[in-house]
Amino acid sequence: METIIGIDLGTTNSEVAVIQSGRPVVLAEDGDPILPSVVGLDPQGKLLVGRAARNQYALSPERTIKSIKRKMGQDVTVALGNQNYRPQEISAMILRALKQRAERVLGHPVKKAVITVPAFFTEGQRAATREAGELAGLEVVRIINEPTAAVLTYDPNPPEMERLLVYDLGGGTFDVSIAVVEAGVVEILASHGDTQLGGDDFDQRLLDFVCDRFQTEHGIDLRQSLVARSRMIGAVEEAKKRLSTEPVVLITEEFIAEKGGVPLNLNTEVTRDEYESLIEPLLAKTLKCLDDALEDANLQAQQIHKVVLVGGATRTPLVHRLLTTRLGRPVHAEIEPDLAVAMGAAVQGGLIAGMELGPVLVDITPHTLGIAALGEVDGFPTPHCFSPIIERNTPLPATRTEMYSTTHDGQKGAEIRVFQGEEEDTRLNALVGEFAIQGLSAVAAPNQILVRLDLDLNGILRVTATERATGLEKQVVIDNMMERFRHRERTDAIERIEALFADSDDFEEEEDEEFDEGADTSDEGSEAVPEGAAQVPDDSSTELQRAVEAAEVQIAKASSLEASASKEDAAEMKGLIQDLRAAVASGVLADIRRITTELEDLIFYLNDA
Ligand code: AMP
C-alpha cells in the first residue's frame, strides 16, 4: 500500500508520522520525535532547520526565523541572510526537513502527505500551507483541521456517535474545539481560541518571576543582557517541564552575571504552587474560550463524551485539574499530547490509502497510583486519605514525584503505603505495597519527604522515598503491576455487574432460584454468578480476594459511621469490625462472608435510622 505521511506543521514544533503495522508512529531521529519549527542560517550561511536553528535564536535572531505559521497566508516577506522569503517558502523548508526525515527512517522515497492546520485557518492560509507542501516536493493529498486529527487519533470509528472536546494548548497558540465523530467522519461543531497564548507565555511568567527575585537579591536585571536572557529562556522552560512531574525544582545557572568583578550564580528554588499561581490567570482565559465553544455548539458540559488533550503545554497538571473540575470528568491524555495531531494526520493518510484502522492502543496506567496520607475524606480528618501520584490513563513509562511532610517533631520514620484505585479513601482502593523510611533527621515538623513513583512498560513499579533535607533514601521495587491492574479491573467489573443486579430484586430472586436448582451443593462457599459474568475466571483465591475486598468496603463504611452512632450501636459495630478483621486475617471465607453481611445489615439499619 502506498505511504502517505501525516504532518503536524506547528507554530513551535512539527512532527511527521506514518502508519506502521496498523498503528500511527511518529518518526524520530536520535530519539527525538519533535522538529522545532525554526529555520536559520549558521555563521557560514548553511541552512539550519529544527533544534540547531532554535538553539541559535536567542543569540542570532537576525539569522533565525521562528513562528512562521503566524504569517501564513499574509502577503509579506521575511529576511533570512541577504534574501527575502514568503512565509510558505520558510514553511516549505520545515516540510522538506520532515519529508527527508521520513525517507531516512523508512528507507524509501515519500511523495504524499496529509498536513494539518488550525480549525480557524482561512482559505488563504490553507492554500498557503498546500503551496508550502508542494514547494517541499510533496503531493498534499489533504489538508485537515488539527482537532479533527486529534479525534482520529483517539478513535476514528467509535461504535456510536461521540462528542469530543479537544483542548489544544501548544507553545504559541491555544484552541478548543467541539467535534462529533461517527463512522469515520469528524465534524467540528465549534472552535474558539487565542492565537497569542501558549506554553511560551508560561515561560515568560516564570522568567520574570525568577529574574525579579534575582534583581531583588543582587540588583541586576538578567533580562537586560542578551546572553543571560538566552540562558534563562532555556533554563525556565526546562524548569517548567520538570514542574509537571516534580513538586519543586532548583534552577541553577553558574556565572550568570557579574557584580564589582565578582561572578554571580543563580540558585533558586521554585515550587509547583508558586508556578501555578503565575499561570492560573492565563489558564482562566482558556476556560472562557471553552465556555464560548460549548455555547456556540449549543451543548452542555455533560453532553461531551470525551475530553482530549493536545499540545505539549497540556502536560501541566493544573490544566488537568482545572478541566476535570470545570467539565466534571477525567481528561484523556493517553496519547502523548504533542504527538497526537501528527498521529491523527497519519491515520487520515492511512484511511485515504484504504487501510482499516481502529482506535490507537497505547500503554497506559489503567488505575491511579498513589499513597495514603493524612487528609480529609468527606470532611473528616483521616490517615487513609488517598493522595494520587500517577493519575490513571497516563502513558507509560511514567515518572512522578510528590512532596509530603512529617506531622510530629522529631519523627524518625514514615510509613509509605502504595495503593491503586480511584477512591478518596485508601481502604476502598487496593494496597500494592508498603515500606517504611527510617532514620529521618530529628527535626521539627514539617520535615519534607519526596515520594517518587516510576512505572515502566514491563509493569515494574519503583517507589522511592527521599528525605529532602539530607537525601536519605529508601526504595522498593514492586513487580507485576500489570497483573495487579488486570486483577483490579476484574474485581471492578464484578462489582459493577453485582451492583447492576442488586438494583433489580425480582431478577435476582429468579436467578437465585434457577441457580439453586442446578447448583452443586457440595461447594457451600461458591455463590451465584450472573450470566454476564460467566466468562470471568473464578477460582477460590479470587473468591477469597473478593470477599476480603467486600469486607474492607464495609469496614470503611462502618468506621465512617462510628462517630455518629449511639454508644450501643458503636460498640456493636466495633465488635463486628474486630471479628471481621480476625476473620480476614484467618482467611476463612465463610466467616468473612457471614460477618460482612452482619456488618452490612447494621450499617443499613444505622443509615435508615
Ligand atoms: P507543542 O506546540 O504542542 O509542541 O507544545 C510546545 C509547548 O509545550 C512548549 O511551550 C513546551 O515548553 C511545552 N511543554 C512540552 N513539554 C511540557 C511539559 N512536560 N510540561 C509543560 N509544558 C511542556
Side-chain angles (χ1 to χ4, degrees), residues 2-3 5 99 102-104 106-112 138:
E2 66 179 340
T3 304
I5 54 173
K99 175 178 185 281
E103 290 174 340
R104 276 193 299 271
L106 298 172
H108 60 76
V110 166
K111 293 201 170 55
K112 296 185 175 182
L138 286 164

Side-chain angles (χ1 to χ4, degrees), residues 37-41 47-50 53 63-65 80 90 93-94:
S37 307
V38 187
V39 173
L41 293 178
L47 181 71
L48 302 173
V49 181
R63 280 192 276 113
T64 320
I65 296 172
L80 183 62
I90 301 294
M93 296 175 199
I94 300 167

Side-chain angles (χ1 to χ4, degrees), residues 582-597:
V584 167
S586 65
V588 180
L589 186 61
D591 285 354
I592 300 173
R593 284 189 172 147
R594 178 178 49 76
I595 307 171
T596 303
T597 312

Side-chain angles (χ1 to χ4, degrees), residues 248-320:
V248 54
V249 296
L250 180 66
I251 306 179
T252 50
E253 287 289 316
E254 287 193 347
F255 306 147
I256 188 89
E258 203 185 74
K259 194 173 182 183
V262 180
L264 295 174
N265 299 333
L266 170 82
N267 222 321
T268 193
E269 254 182 11
V270 180
T271 66
R272 190 188 286 155
D273 288 346
E274 285 170 331
Y275 171 65
E276 288 183 346
S277 58
L278 297 174
I279 61 165
E280 187 145 15
L282 299 175
L283 292 176
K285 285 196 203 174
T286 69
L287 294 184
K288 170 79 180 63
C289 290
L290 186 150
D291 289 341
D292 291 345
L294 280 171
E295 199 179 317
D296 275 9
N298 217 354
L299 289 172
Q300 305 287 323
Q302 313 82 270
Q303 291 172 285
I304 300 294
H305 299 108
K306 219 183 239 175
V307 184
V308 169
L309 299 190
V310 180
T314 61
R315 289 212 175 86
T316 312
L318 183 59
V319 169
H320 290 222

Side-chain angles (χ1 to χ4, degrees), residues 8 10-15 34-35 37 54 168-173 198-203 236-245 275 310-317 337-339 341:
D8 172 6
T11 310
T12 321
N13 294 314
S14 297
E15 298 83 26
I34 287 171
L35 183 85
S37 307
R54 194 180 92 153
D168 183 350
L169 188 61
T173 58
D200 298 350
D201 300 289
F202 300 178
D203 297 348
V236 294
E237 191 191 4
E238 197 46 46
K240 171 190 79 172
K241 289 184 186 171
R242 282 179 45 211
L243 282 167
S244 291
T245 55
Y275 171 65
V310 180
T314 61
R315 289 212 175 86
T316 312
D338 35 17
L339 308 182
V341 169

Side-chain angles (χ1 to χ4, degrees), residues 1 3 18-25 27 106 346 350 355-361:
M1 216 172 262
T3 304
V18 71
I19 302 292
Q20 285 180 333
S21 311
R23 292 174 64 154
V25 177
L27 303 175
L106 298 172
M355 296 176 184
E356 291 224 343
L357 299 171
V360 175
L361 299 175

